[in-house]
């Protein structure tokens, strides 16, 4: 009987669910417990179809816009945040709504409003079309915020007043990419106001730090996450930059292409902030069927952040 080849597995820690994602999922679960099914959810509560499908099975109905929601049922807004027009419309219709926006995203919204009230032109560093970016830009009147996506954008940007600028960022960006853009902006506009505290969330920073730690040790890195998850895609990029010979995003164990494993002796594993841990466990189990694995957890930070639930569901 042929024994399975040996494979060293480096498991990134922290990985998977962050406090904002955990809170958002709890909000939907507790809304269902308090108000009964169905509870409507505007957009995916978090970017993971396995989470979404589980909540659907419990009685959540996911919609794109509020006009798909009836007047007599509660609606939850996703963790990514929404433009101000969304709760305003809900209030006009007298809808019961629960805002599951991550508190760290809400902090960016508050910072943007503070800069706007001070009369500053605001730069948002982020990715066009991402729900969080749409929500952040929707906190202010159109034209009050300029989106910058790349270093080239930062070099080309022409402000109304170079001495009256501020910047905020999407919370799920690559730490390294964002710092490069900020450096260009600060060189060009030395008086630009910065966030009081870094906008990129602690969970994004920690997960990227853990992947940087496993990347150099790994012939291959697999990141469990959804293709529309910004923080998951950034982890794949970070792994490659850190020295992994190859890095791929997979939604689940079934997505693994076993050809990736040819001639490798080490595997790094992480998961995006909206990926449940059972998907990581399934992936490790699938690898263990084909290889004799040893698992070494590489921890770069401990996380103990907990965000309070909104009053509307806290008692459920």
């Amino acid at each position: 009987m042929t024994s399975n080849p040996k494979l060293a597995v480096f498991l990134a820690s922290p990985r998977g669910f962050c406090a904002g994602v955990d809170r958002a999922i709890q909000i939907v679960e507790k809304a269902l417990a308090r108000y009964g099914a169905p509870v409507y959810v505007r957009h995916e509560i978090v970017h993971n179809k396995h989470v979404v499908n589980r909540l659907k099975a419990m009685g959540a109905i996911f919609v794109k816009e509020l006009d798909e929601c009836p007047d007599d049922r509660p609606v939850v807004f996703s963790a990514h945040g929404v433009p101000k027009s969304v709760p305003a419309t809900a209030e006009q219709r007298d809808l019961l709504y629960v805002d599951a926006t991550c508190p760290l995203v809400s902090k960016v919204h508050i910072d943007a409003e503070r800069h706007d009230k001070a009369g500053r032109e605001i730069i948002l560093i982020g990715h066009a079309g991402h729900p969080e970016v749409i929500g952040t830009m929707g906190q202010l009147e159109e034209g009050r915020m300029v989106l910058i996506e790349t270093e080239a954008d930062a070099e080309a940007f022409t402000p109304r007043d170079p001495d009256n600028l501020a910047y905020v960022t999407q919370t799920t960006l690559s730490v390294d990419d964002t710092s490069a853009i900020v450096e260009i902006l600060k060189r060009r506009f030395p008086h630009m106001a910065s966030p009081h505290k870094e906008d990129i969330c602690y969970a994004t920073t920690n997960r990227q730090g853990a992947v940087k730690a496993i990347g150099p040790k790994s012939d291959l890195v697999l990141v469990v996450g959804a293709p529309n998850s910004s923080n998951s895609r950034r982890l794949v990029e970070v792994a490659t930059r850190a020295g992994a010979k190859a890095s791929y995003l997979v939604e689940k164990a079934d997505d693994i292409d076993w050809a990736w494993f040819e001639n490798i002796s080490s595997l790094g594993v992480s998961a995006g902030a909206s990926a449940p841990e059972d998907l990581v466990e399934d992936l490790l189990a699938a690898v263990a069927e084909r290889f004799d694995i040893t698992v070494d957890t590489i921890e770069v930070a401990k996380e103990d952040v907990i965000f309070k639930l909104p009053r509307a569901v806290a008692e459920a």
Side-chain angles (χ1 to χ4, degrees):
M1 182 175 172
T2 307
S3 60
N4 288 335
K6 292 185 181 298
L7 183 67
V9 176
F10 300 107
L11 192 56
S13 179
R15 65 183 176 278
F17 278 1
C18 62
V21 164
D22 194 47
R23 173 180 179 268
I25 294 166
Q26 281 191 62
I27 286 172
V28 178
E29 292 171 343
K30 287 182 176 291
L32 285 162
R34 180 164 188 179
Y35 303 110
V39 165
Y40 286 75
V41 184
R42 183 186 178 275
H43 291 185
E44 289 186 343
I45 188 68
V46 295
H47 280 155
N48 190 279
K49 70 180 182 184
H50 301 279
V51 172
V52 168
N53 288 340
R54 184 176 67 82
L55 293 172
K56 279 182 181 177
M58 294 171 68
I61 295 175
F62 290 83
V63 297
K64 289 189 175 178
E65 297 299 341
L66 286 186
D67 57 16
E68 299 172 65
C69 302
D71 292 335
D72 60 346
R73 296 306 304 162
V75 58
V76 177
F77 301 152
S78 85
H80 307 103
V82 295
K84 273 195 169 175
S85 58
V86 174
T89 301
E91 285 167 12
Q92 285 170 5
R93 290 180 53 192
D94 205 23
L95 283 177
L96 172 61
Y97 69 87
V98 187
D99 190 352
T101 299
C102 173
L104 298 178
V105 175
S106 296
K107 172 210 167 276
V108 177
H109 294 178
I110 292 165
D111 278 355
E113 287 191 275
R114 177 173 57 83
H115 290 308
D116 188 57
K117 284 177 181 171
R120 299 183 184 104
E121 184 177 6
I122 302 163
I123 295 165
L124 171 60
I125 302 171
H127 295 299
H130 189 279
E132 184 185 327
V133 166
I134 293 167
T136 299
M137 295 193 80
Q139 299 306 301
L140 304 176
E141 291 179 16
E142 196 169 341
R144 306 291 292 178
M145 201 178 299
V146 177
L147 180 65
I148 285 184
E149 296 188 79
T150 64
E151 293 177 42
D153 291 345
E155 291 284 8
F157 172 59
T158 304
R160 293 192 294 268
D161 179 356
D163 294 325
N164 200 24
L165 283 172
Y167 81 89
V168 294
T169 78
Q170 182 182 333
T171 63
T172 55
L173 297 177
S174 158
V175 176
D176 296 334
D177 285 350
T178 306
S179 64
I181 291 170
V182 170
E183 280 176 20
I184 292 167
L185 292 170
K186 285 184 173 178
R187 168 175 54 77
R188 295 189 63 213
F189 313 113
H191 301 298
M192 179 180 66
S194 304
H196 289 319
K197 189 179 177 188
E198 181 62 60
D199 284 341
I200 294 177
C201 86
Y202 77 94
T204 298
T205 302
N206 289 346
R207 278 148 192 71
Q208 290 181 16
V211 165
K212 283 179 182 177
I214 66 171
K217 305 171 184 285
S218 305
D219 294 327
L220 169 68
V221 171
L222 296 181
V223 175
V224 180
N228 59 340
S229 165
S230 174
N231 77 85
S232 300
R233 293 201 309 272
R234 299 294 82 76
L235 290 178
V236 175
E237 295 168 3
V238 167
T240 304
R241 288 182 190 172
K245 293 173 185 172
S247 183
Y248 299 99
L249 182 67
V250 293
E251 287 195 77
K252 56 189 184 305
D254 290 348
D255 296 337
I256 294 173
D257 181 345
W258 295 104
W260 299 335
F261 284 73
E262 289 178 12
N263 301 316
I264 73 163
S265 60
S266 57
L267 170 70
V269 176
S270 186
S274 49
E277 182 63 14
D278 58 350
L279 295 180
V280 176
E281 292 170 2
D282 290 348
L283 183 145
L284 291 174
V287 174
E289 287 179 4
R290 294 165 175 81
F291 294 88
D292 177 11
I293 68 171
T294 55
V295 179
D296 186 8
T297 298
I298 309 296
E299 183 177 73
V300 301
K302 289 191 181 295
E303 294 180 350
D304 55 6
V305 177
I306 298 172
F307 294 133
K308 287 183 179 178
L309 295 172
R311 192 174 299 168
V313 296
E315 299 86 16

